[in-house]
């Protein structure tokens, strides 16, 4: 439908006077009258009741008016919308994240991005690092918060940036402490106590770096990990610890996940450091992604 007759209709509906409407539109009255008649013929119903002394909207015209006003306003806003999309102030950003980020860097990133770009639709998906990378290889998603794999196993067309590094702590069943099965030393759990305890951990294919970091801690202190259960969600791991199945070595930010039956203890000595970072496709030049990556300079 031609936009000009719609603007003619809006002007006449506002003034209810052909002369004033024509003057507002910068045209003469006869072409305006012809335009309205042609529009009514196209719609198959009259928009105005006309007499020599007055012009009034018909019931049909009055009901159609807000739809036309909304449509014309949307068209008028298209140049500004295009500019917003081009500048990354509008549009969409698809962000995936590992479950550990939910208790560390993710809330800060999301809050800051929403504050800076409230008109951007932010799509959040929780997924393990391997699934995020596989999805991005297939062209799905734009940026992911991951526990990085070994550098050689990250596709070359991907870029990676470290966001944070934090020590591991031991999540232990409170029942073990109450029963004396595990006795902290100066509020810390020793390497010998960790090595002697059954372990709950991510499967290696889900987060190789995390898995190797944990099992490497056991090996460095003269033991082998006694893995009693694998789980791919951090919440599940903590639930299994609460049930007394074993202990878990988790990022220190997991202390923010308060769970009945679980106590977080610092590892004595030098604790392993777990890295978390963002990954994206190098060729992706989406404005919303550019703005997200630029935002990281102010946070990390």
């Amino acid at each position: 439908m031609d936009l000009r007759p719609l603007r003619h209709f809006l002007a006449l509906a506002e003034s209810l006077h052909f002369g004033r409407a024509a003057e507002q539109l910068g045209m003469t009255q006869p072409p305006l009258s012809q335009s309205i008649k042609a529009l009514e013929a196209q719609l198959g119903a009259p928009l105005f009741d006309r007499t020599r002394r007055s012009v009034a909207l018909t019931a049909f015209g009055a009901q159609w008016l807000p739809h036309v006003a909304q449509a014309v306003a949307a068209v008028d806003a298209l140049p500004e919308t295009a500019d917003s999309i081009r500048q990354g102030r509008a549009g969409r950003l698809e962000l995936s994240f590992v479950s550990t980020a939910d208790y560390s860097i993710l809330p800060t990133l999301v809050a800051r991005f929403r504050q800076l770009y409230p008109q951007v639709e932010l799509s959040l998906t929780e997924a393990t690092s391997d699934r995020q990378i596989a999805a991005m290889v297939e062209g799905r998603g734009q940026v992911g918060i991951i526990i990085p794999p070994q550098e050689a196993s990250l596709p070359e067309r991907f870029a990676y940036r470290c966001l944070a590094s934090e020590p591991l702590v031991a999540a232990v069943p409170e029942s073990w402490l109450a029963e004396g099965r595990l006795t902290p030393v100066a509020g810390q759990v020793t390497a010998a106590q960790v090595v002697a305890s059954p372990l709950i951990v991510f499967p290696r294919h889900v987060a190789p770096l995390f898995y190797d970091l944990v099992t490497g801690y056991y090996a460095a202190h003269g033991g082998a990990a006694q893995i009693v259960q694998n789980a791919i969600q951090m919440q599940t791991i903590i639930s299994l610890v609460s049930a007394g199945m074993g202990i878990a070595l988790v990022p220190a930010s997991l202390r923010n996940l308060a769970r009945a039956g679980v106590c977080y203890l610092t590892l004595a000595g030098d604790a392993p450091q777990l890295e978390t970072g963002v990954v994206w496709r190098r060729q992706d030049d989406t404005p919303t992604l550019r703005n997200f990556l630029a935002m990281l300079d102010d946070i990390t």
Side-chain angles (χ1 to χ4, degrees), residues 80-137:
E80 182 180 350
T81 300
D83 183 65
S84 292
I85 293 173
R86 189 172 62 252
Q87 299 296 327
R89 299 191 304 270
R92 178 181 173 88
L93 180 67
E94 297 178 355
L95 171 64
S96 54
F97 61 94
V98 290
S99 60
T100 52
D102 200 16
Y103 305 97
S104 56
I105 194 67
L106 181 67
T108 300
L109 294 180
V110 169
R112 182 59 176 160
F113 189 78
R114 289 198 183 280
Q115 180 185 24
L116 292 173
Y117 306 103
Q119 301 305 314
V120 173
E121 178 188 355
L122 185 58
S123 174
L124 298 172
T125 303
E126 181 179 338
T128 55
S129 300
D130 62 321
R131 290 186 178 273
Q132 290 187 59
I133 293 172
M136 295 181 73
V137 166

Side-chain angles (χ1 to χ4, degrees), residues 1-24:
M1 181 172 284
D2 192 345
L3 193 61
R4 288 173 297 175
L6 299 183
R7 296 191 187 279
H8 298 166
F9 166 65
L10 290 177
L12 184 56
E14 180 182 355
S15 64
L16 296 177
H17 191 282
F18 275 92
R20 289 194 295 270
E23 182 179 358
Q24 175 186 337

Side-chain angles (χ1 to χ4, degrees), residues 3-17 21 24-25 32 35-36 39 47-48 57 61-62 64-74 76:
L3 193 61
R4 288 173 297 175
L6 299 183
R7 296 191 187 279
H8 298 166
F9 166 65
L10 290 177
L12 184 56
E14 180 182 355
S15 64
L16 296 177
H17 191 282
Q24 175 186 337
L25 292 165
L32 174 60
S35 176
I36 295 298
L39 181 59
L47 294 167
F48 298 95
L57 282 164
W64 197 49
L65 175 60
H67 298 282
V68 176
Q70 182 178 12
V72 171
D76 289 342

Side-chain angles (χ1 to χ4, degrees), residues 16 21-22 29 75-76 106 111 122 134 146 151 155 158 163 178 206 212 230 267 277 290:
L16 296 177
Q29 185 172 333
V75 170
D76 289 342
L106 181 67
L122 185 58
I146 64 169
E151 186 175 348
F158 283 9
L163 287 179
V206 170
D212 292 346
N230 291 130
L267 297 177
R290 287 202 311 267

Side-chain angles (χ1 to χ4, degrees), residues 32-291:
L32 174 60
S33 180
Q34 293 172 8
S35 176
I36 295 298
K37 287 180 180 179
L39 181 59
E40 290 174 325
Q42 183 180 1
L43 296 173
L47 294 167
F48 298 95
D49 288 324
R50 307 166 179 82
T51 68
R52 289 186 176 182
R53 295 185 176 182
S54 67
V55 177
L57 282 164
T58 63
F60 167 69
Q63 292 183 50
W64 197 49
L65 175 60
H67 298 282
V68 176
Q70 182 178 12
V72 171
V75 170
D76 289 342
L78 285 177
E80 182 180 350
T81 300
D83 183 65
S84 292
I85 293 173
R86 189 172 62 252
Q87 299 296 327
R89 299 191 304 270
R92 178 181 173 88
L93 180 67
E94 297 178 355
L95 171 64
S96 54
F97 61 94
V98 290
S99 60
T100 52
D102 200 16
Y103 305 97
S104 56
I105 194 67
L106 181 67
T108 300
L109 294 180
V110 169
R112 182 59 176 160
F113 189 78
R114 289 198 183 280
Q115 180 185 24
L116 292 173
Y117 306 103
Q119 301 305 314
V120 173
E121 178 188 355
L122 185 58
S123 174
L124 298 172
T125 303
E126 181 179 338
T128 55
S129 300
D130 62 321
R131 290 186 178 273
Q132 290 187 59
I133 293 172
M136 295 181 73
V137 166
E138 296 173 359
R140 293 181 284 112
Q142 291 174 275
V143 59
I145 302 176
I146 64 169
I147 296 170
Q150 298 298 327
E151 186 175 348
S153 63
L154 191 65
E156 188 170 332
R157 64 182 182 274
F158 283 9
Y160 172 80
R161 173 174 176 173
C162 175
L163 287 179
S165 181
E166 57 182 320
L168 298 185
V169 299
V172 304
E174 286 186 344
S175 60
W176 288 16
L177 303 179
E179 297 165 2
R181 181 173 174 178
L182 190 66
T183 306
V185 177
Q188 298 179 331
V189 61
T190 67
Q193 291 172 320
V194 170
V195 169
S197 301
L199 176 68
I200 305 165
V201 70
F202 284 109
R204 190 179 189 281
H205 73 273
V206 170
L209 182 64
F210 192 7
Y211 181 94
D212 292 346
L213 195 65
V214 171
T215 56
Y217 178 82
Y218 280 73
H221 292 88
Q226 306 169 42
I227 299 174
V228 293
Q229 183 65 50
N230 291 130
I232 63 172
Q233 297 293 333
M234 188 57 71
Q235 297 92 327
T236 304
I237 290 176
I238 297 302
S239 293
L240 295 176
V241 171
S242 175
M245 183 173 288
I247 71 168
L249 298 188
V250 300
S253 57
L254 257 289
R255 295 181 188 272
N256 295 320
L257 176 57
R259 184 63 180 264
V262 176
C263 180
Y264 298 97
L265 297 175
T266 302
L267 297 177
D270 294 332
Q273 298 285 317
L274 180 69
E275 181 177 318
T276 302
V278 289
V279 63
W280 67 96
R281 290 182 294 273
R282 295 181 189 274
Q283 75 274 19
D284 191 342
D285 196 36
T286 307
T288 52
L289 175 60
R290 287 202 311 267
N291 288 346

